Amino acid sequence: MTGLLCTEPRAVLILGTGYLGKALAESLRKAGHTALTADIDAQKAIYEADVTEGASMHSLAARIRSPHIIVMCASTRGGSEEAYRSLYIRGTQNTLEAFPGTPVIFCSSTSVYGITDGRWITEEHNVYPASGKSGLLIQAEQAVLAAGGTVVRLGALYGPDRCVLVSQYCKKGAALPGNMDRWINYIHRDDAVAALHLLCTLREPPTGIYNLTDRTPMQLGEIYSYLSG
């Protein structure tokens, strides 16, 4: 594996410094790489930038040296369909136009598969978007793939100070709608960071689609039973 990794420090531009992006930046810096962070909130990152605004992204490109790779991990935090369109469709287009030729890793979601009957899913499976939001994610994915980039489909994140299932269960006694037999894909934030760190530091920029989830899926009823205990 070490022969597949770059031997020189990398400059990685991370767009979005939320729960995932902040931890990825810390991981890269600890390994001696340069993590250039950009966020709409100037206090959360080195650079202030709004991926939904083309002028803002071109301004960002003018302020920094060309990064080796870009990671798009900004989130709408459960926003509306229009928020998805703005962040993922326009944001992806603006990023690709502002940084032409720079490899892009786009953080997407396993929800795009739209398959909830317990079947094992691989990257080769077709997608069946169950909502307009999933459809918009797929459009953004296609733009990144057409540009020779990488799509990372993540399960729901949990980890230090964050687990939606636990917090909502404690508040309401229920966390997600649906059948207790429903299968759920999750991934620990630190595992997601480790995978993204690896993709960022490969000698050859990665391409294609990668699924990132915990190895053992769980059913909703199983999780509730554990929490109740």
Side-chain angles (χ1 to χ4, degrees), residues 128-212:
Y128 303 95
S131 68
K133 293 179 181 180
S134 294
L136 291 169
L137 277 177
I138 292 170
Q139 290 182 47
E141 289 183 358
Q142 291 171 341
V144 170
L145 293 172
T150 307
V151 168
V152 175
R153 292 172 176 165
L154 291 146
L157 290 170
Y158 71 98
D161 302 318
R162 173 171 166 176
C163 185
V164 174
L165 283 174
V166 173
S167 60
Q168 292 195 2
Y169 178 80
C170 292
K171 291 178 182 178
K172 305 177 183 178
L176 290 174
N179 194 307
M180 290 296 105
D181 292 334
R182 175 180 176 182
W183 290 94
I184 299 176
N185 292 305
Y186 265 69
I187 182 168
H188 194 283
R189 183 203 63 186
D190 294 348
D191 292 331
V193 165
L196 288 171
H197 184 130
L198 174 63
L199 291 173
C200 287
T201 54
L202 289 174
R203 185 186 299 271
E204 295 296 328
T207 58
I209 299 171
Y210 297 86
N211 291 337
L212 290 184

Side-chain angles (χ1 to χ4, degrees), residues 2 7 13 18 36 54 62-63 71 91-93 96 110 123 135 185 193 206 211 224 226 229:
T2 55
T7 56
L13 173 58
L36 304 168
R63 282 181 287 164
V71 180
T92 297
Q93 180 182 359
L96 294 174
T110 55
E123 290 84 352
N185 292 305
V193 165
N211 291 337
Y224 282 176
Y226 174 81

Side-chain angles (χ1 to χ4, degrees), residues 51-131:
V51 297
T52 69
E53 297 291 339
S56 179
M57 291 305 293
H58 281 283
S59 175
L60 176 65
R63 282 181 287 164
I64 65 176
R65 297 180 61 184
S66 297
H68 292 97
I69 197 164
I70 297 171
V71 180
M72 297 186 65
C73 55
S75 171
T76 65
R77 298 182 180 179
S80 65
E81 191 168 312
E82 179 52 37
Y84 268 63
R85 187 181 307 280
S86 179
L87 180 62
Y88 299 122
I89 301 298
R90 289 196 287 272
T92 297
Q93 180 182 359
N94 292 335
T95 300
L96 294 174
E97 290 179 353
F99 295 90
T102 303
V104 172
I105 297 176
F106 176 74
C107 292
S108 185
S109 168
T110 55
S111 65
V112 299
Y113 288 109
I115 299 173
T116 58
D117 58 7
R119 281 180 287 167
W120 284 95
I121 302 299
T122 70
E123 290 84 352
E124 286 72 36
H125 276 80
N126 291 328
V127 292
Y128 303 95
S131 68

Side-chain angles (χ1 to χ4, degrees), residues 1-10 31-33 201-204:
M1 175 60 74
T2 55
L4 299 176
L5 300 177
C6 58
T7 56
E8 300 294 331
R10 280 271 172 92
H33 300 285
T201 54
L202 289 174
R203 185 186 299 271
E204 295 296 328

